[in-house]
Amino acid sequence: QGIIHISDIRKSYYMGTQSLEVLKGLNLDIYKNEYVALMGPSGSGKSTLMNILGCLDSPTSGTYILNNQDVSKMDDAALAQVRNKEIGFVFQQFNLLPRLSAVDNVALPLVYAGIAKKQRREMAMAVLEKVGLGNRSHHKPNEMSGGQIQRVAIARALVNSPAIILADEPTGNLDSKTSVEIMDLFSAIQEAGNTVVLVTHEEDIAGYAKRVIRLRDGMVESDQTQESRKHAH
Ligand code: ADP
Ligand code: ADP
């Protein structure tokens, strides 16, 4: 069983008397230290699945086991606790706090984890150094480039040592040269032992991942590892 184990997940949205089934019985295992790209056309259910994987939302039915915990029937408070401990998020829009320095942005998840201030700074600095920004720790977001800001956001996602890193179009706001740098960083993070799941609609970006899962109309259309993709071409 994977660090992510999904069994017959369905998700419907209800609007008045109407309902729309967006995930139609997904089965999926993602194993520790895998590097997965999630692709599929707009409306295929990628965001809905990522929200469930990230414990931001619950499935309508089916089972989701994250790192040996059944999170499918947890209430919002329990889900928030699991989310803070197990998930590191990276977004297209970066989502840093503009008034905080890089090191304070990175340390933020540790505040919620109840870690003392001195230790928070030390942990945040160590991760900033890992992403190559040890010399930018006191800069605020508006004093950094897009690529540097995304590195800070990645450091923030890593600082808690979460079970999985979820990235939603992490290069969507970056030029192609900076995108390559950020994807190289994700590769290094995965090689260091992390589990990475990212959403992208760019084949070039998906090419960095070792497994590509394609959704269509709320179902898995294909699920290929790097090896099988090579043979297919
Ligand atoms: P993708 O990320 O692949 O574009 P989404 O998961 O965002 O797909 O959306 C899948 C379908 O679910 C779309 O038809 C979308 O309009 C619908 N949808 C997504 N979120 C909601 C919501 N909160 N309420 C109602 N419908 C939604
Ligand atoms: P994406 O860029 O991933 O395709 P969308 O534009 O589909 O994102 O959706 C953005 C947000 O709006 C998501 O949080 C999604 O859940 C919500 N959403 C999408 N479609 C609907 C809808 N028909 N009704 C309500 N909320 C929706």
Side-chain angles (χ1 to χ4, degrees):
Q1 178 174 306
I3 195 162
I4 288 172
H5 174 75
I6 272 184
S7 171
D8 198 22
I9 286 276
R10 290 170 188 273
K11 178 70 181 182
S12 297
Y13 292 112
Y14 297 92
M15 294 149 284
T17 56
Q18 305 271 61
S19 79
L20 178 67
E21 190 175 58
V22 171
L23 299 180
K24 300 173 181 168
L26 290 186
N27 296 292
L28 203 55
D29 275 284
I30 293 174
Y31 296 91
K32 194 169 157 44
N33 202 19
E34 269 201 300
Y35 188 173
V36 176
L38 192 58
M39 299 192 79
S42 186
S44 59
K46 303 182 296 296
S47 300
T48 300
L49 178 57
M50 286 292 267
N51 287 345
I52 291 172
L53 292 181
C55 299
L56 292 162
D57 202 356
S58 296
T60 306
S61 67
T63 307
Y64 175 23
I65 314 273
L66 169 62
N67 206 10
N68 295 317
Q69 301 157 90
D70 187 345
V71 297
S72 24
K73 285 156 200 84
M74 282 185 180
D75 63 23
D76 288 349
L79 215 49
Q81 276 201 334
V82 173
R83 184 165 67 234
N84 290 335
K85 181 162 177 289
E86 308 285 3
I87 316 280
F89 291 101
V90 178
F91 304 94
Q92 180 174 354
Q93 306 290 350
F94 315 127
N95 292 12
L96 296 184
L97 294 184
R99 291 174 187 278
L100 295 188
S101 66
V103 67
D104 287 339
N105 265 290
V106 173
L108 213 50
L110 302 174
V111 175
Y112 304 123
I115 291 169
K117 188 167 184 182
K118 182 159 176 287
Q119 201 188 346
R120 291 203 299 264
R121 288 214 141 231
E122 285 170 7
M123 290 169 75
M125 276 307 300
V127 187
L128 271 179
E129 273 158 28
K130 265 196 217 164
V131 302
L133 284 181
N135 58 351
R136 291 284 188 280
S137 61
H138 294 293
H139 289 57
K140 290 185 179 159
N142 68 4
E143 298 162 338
M144 291 184 284
S145 68
Q148 288 172 341
I149 292 171
Q150 194 60 304
R151 281 171 191 273
V152 174
I154 291 169
R156 180 188 55 187
L158 288 169
V159 75
N160 244 352
S161 304
I164 56 175
I165 307 290
L166 296 180
D168 195 350
E169 301 273 4
T171 61
N173 275 326
L174 301 174
D175 62 50
S176 46
K177 180 170 170 287
T178 308
S179 295
V180 168
E181 290 168 12
I182 291 298
M183 294 314 294
D184 286 340
L185 178 57
F186 276 114
S187 294
I189 287 166
Q190 185 264 332
E191 278 158 23
N194 291 283
T195 309
V196 179
V197 180
L198 69 88
V199 168
T200 182
H201 54 251
E202 294 177 64
E203 295 288 345
D204 294 5
I205 296 297
Y208 284 83
K210 295 182 176 163
R211 176 177 171 196
V212 178
I213 298 170
R214 287 172 208 272
L215 296 187
R216 181 176 289 273
D217 297 332
M219 292 186 285
V220 174
E221 179 186 54
S222 69
D223 184 347
Q224 292 186 297
T225 60
Q226 203 169 48
E227 275 310 302
S228 63
R229 271 185 287 154
K230 267 187 211 142
H231 292 302
H233 289 155

